[in-house]
């Protein structure tokens, strides 16, 4: 990945997201075609059902590199 932190929750990608820290659940990282990475639960919330939602870092259309 080109980034070290999840720009949505601001936590390092090698740690759990804020949401999953509270739940006591492990996070996993997903990468977009733009090579930016996020905790899955963070980008899932960001994108929602909107297929035209941009990457929060580079604003290109968010497309998962590998389907979660």
């Amino acid at each position: 990945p080109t980034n070290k932190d999840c720009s949505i929750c601001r936590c390092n990608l090698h740690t759990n997201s804020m949401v999953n820290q509270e739940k006591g659940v492990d996070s996993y990282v997903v990468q977009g075609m733009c090579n930016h990475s996020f905790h899955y639960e963070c980008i899932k919330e960001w994108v929602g059902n909107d297929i035209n939602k941009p990457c929060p870092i580079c604003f290109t259309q968010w497309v998962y590199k590998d389907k979660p």
Side-chain angles (χ1 to χ4, degrees):
T2 58
N3 54 307
K4 295 179 182 177
D5 296 325
C6 176
S7 65
I8 298 171
C9 73
R10 304 283 193 207
C11 291
N12 188 284
L13 290 172
H14 295 288
T15 63
N16 293 329
S17 69
M18 295 292 284
V19 171
N20 281 6
Q21 286 177 26
E22 292 174 5
K23 292 179 182 178
V25 177
D26 288 336
S27 295
Y28 66 94
V29 176
V30 293
Q31 191 173 40
M33 294 302 287
C34 59
N35 291 322
H36 292 122
S37 298
F38 304 92
H39 296 111
Y40 174 65
E41 56 279 4
C42 296
I43 194 68
K44 181 180 172 187
E45 184 70 26
W46 173 267
V47 175
N49 293 326
D50 187 353
I51 61 170
N52 296 316
K53 195 73 171 188
C55 168
I57 295 176
C58 66
F59 301 106
T60 60
Q61 183 177 354
W62 176 259
V63 177
Y64 290 100
K65 191 173 251 185
D66 294 315
K67 200 80 164 160

